Amino acid sequence: MSSEILPNGQEKAMYLQRPSSGRSQDVGHILAKTFRELFTRDAIDSETIRNLNVSRGGDDPYHDRYVESLQKVNEEHERRMAEVAMLERHIMQAQARAMSADEREFSRVSSGHKHYRELGLPPARSHFRECIDSELLRKHKLLTPEDFSTEEPPPVPAPQESRIPSYAMDTQNSMLIRRSYDDLIKSPGPTLRDSGETLHLSQDKDLDDLDPDGIPKQPQLNPAFRNDLWRDQLNPEQREINRKDLENLQARANYLKNPRYVPPSAQGGGRMLIKAQKREAKKIGVKPNPEKYAKKDPSVVFIASPPIISFTEFQVGHVYEATLELKNVTTAMRQCRVIPPRTSYFSVGLGMFPGEHGLVAPGMSCQYTIRFIPDCLGDFEDEIKVQTQSSTPMVIKIEAARPPPVLSLPSSIDIGQCLVGGIRAAHIKVQNTGGAGKFAILPHSTWPTTNFKSATKTGVVSQPPFEIRPSVFDLGRGHSTLLEVIFAPPSVHTYLQTVTFVCDNCQVKHFTLKGEGQTAGVELSEVDGGTSEPRSGEMCDVAAQHLIRFHNLNPFTYMQKKMMIKNTINVALPYHWKIIKPCLIPTDPEKPDETSLPQDRILDIDSAFSIDPQSGVLPPRGESEFQLTFAPPEIADFHSVLHLILQEVPEARPSSNRPSRPGTAESGVSDISEIEMPSSAPVLHDVTALEIEVKGQSEAFKVLLSPYAIQVPGKVLVGTSVRKQFQMINNSISSAVFQWDRAYTDFIMQVEPPMGEIEAGSSILMSMDLTSDIPGDIDHTLLCHIENLDQPLSLNVQATIKGPEVAIDNPDINFGLVRLGDKSTQEITIRNTCQIMAKWWLQESPEYQSKQGKIEFNPVNGVLRPLETKKIIATFDPQSCQSMRSIIDLYVQDGNQSHIAARGEVQVSDACLLSSHLSLEDVYVDVPVNQTVTIYNKTLLDTDFRWGQLDGEDASRCSVTVAPKSGHLAPREKYDIHLTFTSHHQGKIGDVRLPCYVDGMSHPLCLALSAEVKGLQVSYSPPQHDSVDGELLLDFGEIVLLGETPKRTVYISNNTAIAASYNITVERFSARPPSPPEQDKGSMPNKTQRKSAILLRTPNLANPMSKTAARAHADMCSMMLKEGLGAAFVVQSASGVLKPFSEEIIEVTAFSDMWGSYTDILVSKVGHLDEVKIPIKITVSGCPLKFQMASTSTDTKPVLRFGTHVSGVNSIDRQMRVNNPSPYDVRVDWEIFNRDSEDKQLLDFIVSFGDSFPLKDNTGKEIVPKEEGPIHAMRLPTDLIPNSPDSSLPSRHLTTLTRAPTIDKTSYTSVFIRQHEGRQLEDPFVISPQQVVVPARGTAQISIRFTPLTFEDHRECDSYALGYLTLDPDKKRTKAVDDKVERIQGYSMEPLHLDITAHVKPALLLIECSDDEGMRFRSAVSDLMVNGKILDEPSMKMSSATLSNTTETPLTFRLVTQPPFILKGLDPATQSMCQQTDFNTLTPQHNFEVVVGFCTSLDLLAHCNSSSNEGQGQTEGQGSN
């Protein structure tokens, strides 16, 4: 695939991050993901467009086009915003107008109704639809009220009712004239005399003559002229004309006739409220048809509700009422008159009208009360006439009829069957689904009757052999009752009787009762396997009717047979079974059995036979299923008899002596005169209906084991399980239940499965498991118990068991050099070499105990799991100085033994002072003097020392401070001890001794001190937190971040009355505050200064050259660190005069721009006293390197995002700039790690040999530094040779030329442990160069390459890069500051961190076939024939598809297919056919067509025929085999 090459300096569009706040409304990340390069992240406001428009007219035409496009977009935006504002304003105005109209409508409706709001009526229809412009909303694609309202709008808005017609309303001119006329009449103005001037109002009169209402102002008239007003009145002719006009105006109008007085049948008087009035078009020149108006239906004036008055539920002697409502359906007020019914059962009450004078307004109703008084329960009919202005009176029918009762009782009632001599009671549910009624039951022979009470007084209707009760009952609508019918048949016949039901409404209906008498009878219909016939000479039961024989069974097994017993009658028969011992006699088929049946039979309590169910009821004419079970408890022959006993069978009553009627015997129907109902209860007894003889035999089980003995080969480990398999074979008739014994003595032996059941004639595979904890031989016999078998089966097992084995991995134990009184420990590794648990214990050989020392083990004993390795701590406690040699024994329970040798050397500590006498010079009173004493450890044992208290005659006159007071001496180590001597008295001190106690030495070391003490003048005191064991030290802390400026103070006190000058300096890392710049007041800044002043932030407007506090602090730090040493110490109040008995505070400020642990000396000079040196210590941490992207903010974490790319495209490079503000060149070694969410590792264990990050060349190979040649030794003069007899100078004044021992960097190993965050990989991100040197005060460029790998799905690439910092060697800098600075680097230093993210999506082409079924070809062989001839050229079927590149990256691909398919070339010039195309590139968001053909040829036909022939040949070969 090819990748799109971007112009230099451009990058792929990156996705924006989602806002961290869940309530943010910023959707920029969604637009950036959707539109990519088309989306502008920064919004451009109108002010920016105006500024860009001002800057037009340059040489860049692209800028002009860009600004013009922005103007068009801005104008379109403003136009759309104006439309939105217009629409919003229109909707708000429409809402205001609609609300006002709704308020006016509500006020109009509620006027005159005081409690209108309390009625709860729905609000009036809203006027919003009339006030809103739907076309305007629809034009701007907004929802209109018609879109969500189903109400049809009126064609025009409803007209508003006006109290005054429009033609009668006053106009402006008429109001002016009327007001002026009225005023003139009320206060007429004066008339002028003979001068001929009159008072008039002209149209061109000045506006000043009008009052605020528009009426001319009346001049002030003189009362003398009022009598002359008659001259201005109308003349008589005009007055007469005006009077006629007034009469015409006040004359009575020709109003229409009141429709109430127009008959409904007349023209124009038949309009109704329930029928729409149809208007016919006016026809001109057409003769009207008189028949059309002559044939009219009677006019409807009132409508009756209900149209028919009916009474359905009534009783005799009660009065019932119904309301008749007459509604006026015409458009005028009408009158009506009701004519009462003709019969006396119905009457009409007075009417109730809505108004006075009996008038009914249109749509209103009047009501009449109809009363009904019945004298019987029959049906009544009548009618009421209503006379109105219609020509035809309205007739309303009146009906009164009770609904007849309907009983849910069939005409023939079948009681069913009953045993002869018994009684059957049937309960029949009778439900009334019609009207309520009272019923009586009578024998059919007594109907009709004249007295119901005598016929039904007993409450029972007797029709032998039937009886019915009750004889009288009431049933309401929907109620039901039960009728009891008793049937007692005297013989086997079918009986029929008829009874009559009489209702209180004189309705009669006849019903037939039917019943049948039967005798009990059962038979054996079916048995599994059938019944058997007795053999010749076989002993059988005397009375048995059937013989059932079972197959042979094993003891305590069973066999079941299904047996069907049929009830031959239609009566349910209760039964129970009895098992009887047989009464045996020999069977001879030639001689019938003439032996009489036994009377008393014996129950067989211990019978092996059983039947289920034992008791129950045989259904009428049905078959019942019984399970006959044979379960022999022992080996024997079993014989029993089953008796089926029918329970409570009635005894037949003696028949009557009356002769039967001729013909009844043949028909089987008994006559009522021949039958009598029984007077007593029937006699019941049990009857044996069926006897069945059953026989069965039982035999013993036959079970075998194969093999009958098991021998385990080889030796088995203790605790290891061994499994061997064998078979159990069952040759018995039935399944056998087995159970194996278990052995739990010194071993565990069991069989799986331990118990179970094995089917008859089958075998089961079993396994024997053997486990032993004690070694030795095993010979044991397992027993298997077979249920119902006396003798158990036996299985003999033989095996050999061996114990565990434990080995020691150490060749020996070397305790090394041990101090007498200390203990030494070593590890012993033991390993279990077998697959079982091993119990062990360790001890020293008895031969070596209590001779050289004591050796203890932790743990002493334990248990090792299979193949487990365990480390044991061996502790050696020596008793004397010697060489220890011993033997350690390892014992394993039930296993082997191992031995290991142990050795060690025991010594004591020995140390000395290189100088045992210290002579102190220039000692002042109360002025501490520092000296160094060296302690030398003469042995290879490390030891501890501590200094004691001063001793001697002069010990009370002085004090000594030792630093440190105690310490640790490594083997052969020389340890420098700093002594601070302070004398409290002036004079000579000579007898002072300072003891030093060394662990392991019996006598302490003594240091002799002597000094000549002078007067004390000045003392120094540090802050309390800066004093370490009384020693003065300026410690700025262990963790000081780069750029911080911590401060420390020192107090100088003058305890004398002598004033002295002082001067304080820093020995190496010194700096001083910069002095303020000197500038002439009259000088002006140059052009560059003015430009920088404008660009920078100006905190003080009065002084453009002023700086912010942060900028000023940064410039000051740069000035302090201009030496380039990485740190600087500035002393405030560095010099001055120390007044008598005064104290000066010296403040020291630390500046840093490079990490490291810095040490320096603060030198204080007071007067003529010696300089006092105060140590300074500061540890600076932090990374000085910064990325350019995060240089402005210290809290911003640098993240490099590559965005989304298609997998498989070319690599993408990004350049990053690294800034180094420090004074040293820093070498950065880069490593890239990939984060994995499934990575469970917690820590990284890093081991490096030599330098962790050595210097490499451009090819990545390590640069090995050249070794310096050895320095030749120089001969010293004998008088300067130390420790020689001729030497008279102290050893501390001698110097020798020696070289410090060099350390081979490849000879040591470094181990680092860090938190695991990702795995170091080389893809998909690569940084080049991997080692880069960032120059001091400069920058460096690194290139990060992202190579999208090939994935089948979307992948998120989340990585981070760590840059490990190392300082390049600088010889000039090293000589100057190496003794004062210690810097960590590599893994010990905090690395430079950079997060890198990218997203890879798969490269996919979208295939869209032209056919819905896809590329499916349908071809026939006949396509190769034309006019009966076979063509030489093949037939082609073509199908096309479209390939689309939906990604934003060009994709390169090629197409490949196999015959008989063929591709059409992608080159439109050639259009050649091929099986494989060349590689083609599809640009983003483009597609092209691919054509695939299916070639039908003779070769394809021959190939298909050969394939079918081969398949047919294979089928025939299989059939022959």
Side-chain angles (χ1 to χ4, degrees), residues 810-842:
N810 304 60
D812 60 354
I813 302 176
N814 186 4
F815 290 99
L817 185 62
V818 184
R819 186 196 312 273
L820 183 62
D822 293 347
K823 296 182 181 180
S824 179
T825 59
Q826 292 292 330
E827 288 186 353
I828 303 175
T829 303
I830 60 176
R831 177 168 44 87
N832 187 1
T833 60
C834 59
Q835 299 289 339
I836 61 175
M837 306 284 285
K839 186 176 182 181
W840 58 270
W841 64 89
L842 279 172

Side-chain angles (χ1 to χ4, degrees), residues 413-424 465-466 487-496 513-519 568-571 621 668-670:
I413 304 174
D414 190 359
I415 305 303
Q417 295 77 23
C418 181
L419 295 178
V420 175
I423 296 176
R424 177 182 177 89
F466 300 98
F487 175 48
S491 60
V492 180
H493 289 293
T494 300
Y495 300 92
L496 297 175
L513 301 178
K514 182 180 178 180
E516 183 181 359
Q518 293 183 350
T519 57
T568 58
I569 64 174
N570 284 329
V571 180
R621 290 290 181 181
V669 179
S670 179

Side-chain angles (χ1 to χ4, degrees), residues 1027-1039:
S1027 177
V1028 179
D1029 294 335
E1031 182 182 1
L1032 185 61
L1033 173 65
L1034 291 182
D1035 190 357
F1036 286 86
E1038 294 293 335
I1039 300 177

Side-chain angles (χ1 to χ4, degrees), residues 910-926:
D910 189 10
C912 66
L913 294 173
L914 296 183
S915 178
S916 61
H917 182 268
L918 186 60
S919 178
L920 303 177
E921 297 180 357
D922 298 330
V923 178
Y924 297 90
V925 176
D926 295 330

Side-chain angles (χ1 to χ4, degrees), residues 1143-1418:
E1143 184 180 67
E1144 291 290 337
I1145 301 176
I1146 308 301
E1147 186 179 63
V1148 182
T1149 305
F1151 297 86
S1152 61
D1153 59 356
M1154 191 63 184
W1155 84 89
S1157 298
Y1158 298 87
T1159 58
D1160 206 343
I1161 301 298
L1162 183 67
V1163 180
S1164 176
K1165 179 67 175 177
V1166 179
H1168 61 278
L1169 298 179
D1170 293 338
E1171 295 180 349
V1172 176
K1173 298 181 179 180
I1174 303 175
I1176 302 177
K1177 179 181 178 182
I1178 183 173
T1179 301
V1180 182
S1181 62
C1183 180
L1185 303 184
K1186 300 292 183 182
F1187 287 100
Q1188 182 65 27
M1189 64 168 62
S1191 60
T1192 59
S1193 176
T1194 58
D1195 299 334
T1196 303
K1197 189 176 182 180
V1199 180
L1200 179 60
R1201 298 180 176 89
F1202 278 86
T1204 302
H1205 300 276
V1206 179
S1207 62
V1209 301
N1210 293 341
S1211 302
I1212 300 96
D1213 294 335
R1214 297 287 174 86
Q1215 301 293 330
M1216 298 288 292
R1217 178 183 295 177
V1218 183
N1219 299 333
N1220 182 11
S1222 68
Y1224 301 134
D1225 297 343
V1226 179
R1227 187 173 76 246
V1228 183
D1229 291 87
W1230 292 98
E1231 293 181 356
I1232 297 182
F1233 300 85
N1234 291 345
R1235 294 187 177 95
D1236 188 1
S1237 59
E1238 299 180 357
D1239 193 359
K1240 305 300 183 182
Q1241 186 175 346
L1242 299 179
L1243 298 175
D1244 290 337
F1245 188 81
I1246 303 173
V1247 180
S1248 61
F1249 300 91
D1251 288 342
S1252 301
F1253 298 97
L1255 184 62
K1256 300 180 182 179
D1257 55 9
N1258 294 332
T1259 62
K1261 294 183 180 180
E1262 181 179 355
I1263 299 177
V1264 181
K1266 296 181 180 180
E1267 297 182 358
E1268 298 181 357
I1271 297 179
H1272 300 284
M1274 298 179 62
R1275 182 179 179 83
L1276 298 176
T1278 57
D1279 56 350
L1280 298 179
I1281 297 176
N1283 299 329
S1284 62
D1286 298 334
S1287 178
S1288 59
L1289 297 177
S1291 60
R1292 59 189 181 92
H1293 296 289
L1294 301 179
T1295 58
T1296 59
L1297 185 59
T1298 60
R1299 177 178 297 277
T1302 60
I1303 301 176
D1304 188 4
K1305 294 184 178 181
T1306 61
S1307 63
Y1308 65 88
T1309 302
S1310 302
V1311 179
F1312 303 93
I1313 297 177
R1314 68 183 178 190
Q1315 182 180 0
H1316 179 77
E1317 296 182 359
R1319 297 189 179 276
Q1320 183 177 357
L1321 296 175
E1322 295 297 334
D1323 54 358
F1325 301 100
V1326 177
I1327 295 182
S1328 62
Q1330 291 187 352
Q1331 187 178 83
V1332 61
V1333 177
V1334 186
R1337 314 291 186 188
T1339 61
Q1341 293 286 125
I1342 62 173
S1343 177
I1344 302 177
R1345 172 168 295 179
F1346 171 53
T1347 304
L1349 303 179
T1350 302
F1351 299 111
E1352 296 182 358
D1353 54 356
H1354 291 262
R1355 292 292 180 90
E1356 292 287 345
C1357 299
D1358 187 7
S1359 304
Y1360 64 95
L1362 297 181
Y1364 297 95
L1365 309 183
T1366 308
L1367 292 179
D1368 278 355
D1370 188 352
K1371 294 183 179 180
K1372 296 180 180 180
R1373 176 184 55 79
T1374 303
K1375 292 181 179 180
V1377 300
D1378 269 358
D1379 56 342
K1380 299 293 185 179
V1381 181
E1382 293 181 0
R1383 291 189 175 92
I1384 59 175
Q1385 56 188 357
Y1387 289 112
S1388 302
M1389 178 63 185
E1390 178 184 359
L1392 184 61
H1393 189 95
L1394 175 64
D1395 288 332
I1396 310 173
T1397 62
H1399 182 80
V1400 181
K1401 62 180 180 180
L1404 298 176
L1405 290 176
L1406 179 62
I1407 301 177
E1408 297 180 359
C1409 298
S1410 59
D1411 194 357
D1412 294 340
E1413 298 180 353
M1415 286 191 176
R1416 176 173 292 184
F1417 300 90
R1418 293 180 175 86

Side-chain angles (χ1 to χ4, degrees), residues 261-275:
Y261 302 104
V262 179
S265 58
Q267 185 176 1
R271 288 187 299 170
M272 295 184 297
L273 299 176
I274 60 175
K275 186 176 181 181

Side-chain angles (χ1 to χ4, degrees), residues 430-618:
V430 180
Q431 185 175 6
N432 183 11
T433 58
K438 188 175 181 179
F439 303 90
I441 305 176
L442 302 174
H444 181 64
S445 58
T446 61
W447 179 258
T449 182
T450 58
N451 190 354
F452 283 95
K453 292 184 179 181
S454 61
T456 60
K457 62 181 180 178
T458 60
V460 177
V461 179
S462 179
Q463 284 284 87
F466 300 98
E467 280 187 358
I468 303 175
R469 59 170 64 90
S471 59
V472 178
F473 57 91
D474 293 338
L475 282 181
R477 178 184 292 274
H479 294 178
S480 61
T481 186
L482 290 178
L483 295 181
E484 183 181 14
V485 181
I486 298 176
F487 175 48
S491 60
V492 180
H493 289 293
T494 300
Y495 300 92
L496 297 175
Q497 292 290 349
T498 303
V499 293
T500 302
F501 278 63
V502 181
C503 184
D504 58 354
N505 59 359
C506 299
Q507 294 182 358
V508 179
K509 191 173 182 181
H510 305 284
F511 296 90
T512 303
L513 301 178
K514 182 180 178 180
E516 183 181 359
Q518 293 183 350
T519 57
V522 295
E523 63 181 11
L524 179 63
S525 60
E526 183 183 354
V527 179
D528 289 347
T531 58
S532 302
E533 295 295 334
R535 303 183 184 94
S536 179
E538 185 179 3
M539 302 295 288
C540 296
D541 187 74
V542 177
Q545 301 171 3
H546 304 280
L547 174 61
I548 299 177
R549 198 185 305 274
F550 285 87
H551 297 292
N552 293 349
L553 297 179
N554 295 115
F556 293 98
T557 60
Y558 68 93
M559 181 179 182
Q560 290 183 339
K561 285 190 176 185
K562 184 175 70 174
M563 183 173 59
M564 304 298 295
I565 303 297
K566 182 179 180 182
N567 184 3
T568 58
I569 64 174
N570 284 329
V571 180
L573 300 176
Y575 68 90
H576 70 272
W577 289 90
K578 288 185 179 181
I579 302 178
I580 308 299
K581 291 186 178 181
C583 181
L584 302 178
I585 59 171
T587 303
D588 189 359
E590 297 180 356
K591 297 181 179 180
D593 187 11
E594 298 179 355
T595 307
S596 60
L597 297 177
Q599 296 296 327
D600 297 329
R601 305 296 294 270
I602 302 174
L603 294 178
D604 193 354
I605 300 175
D606 300 329
S607 176
F609 300 94
S610 62
I611 189 168
D612 185 59
Q614 286 284 342
S615 59
V617 178
L618 296 176

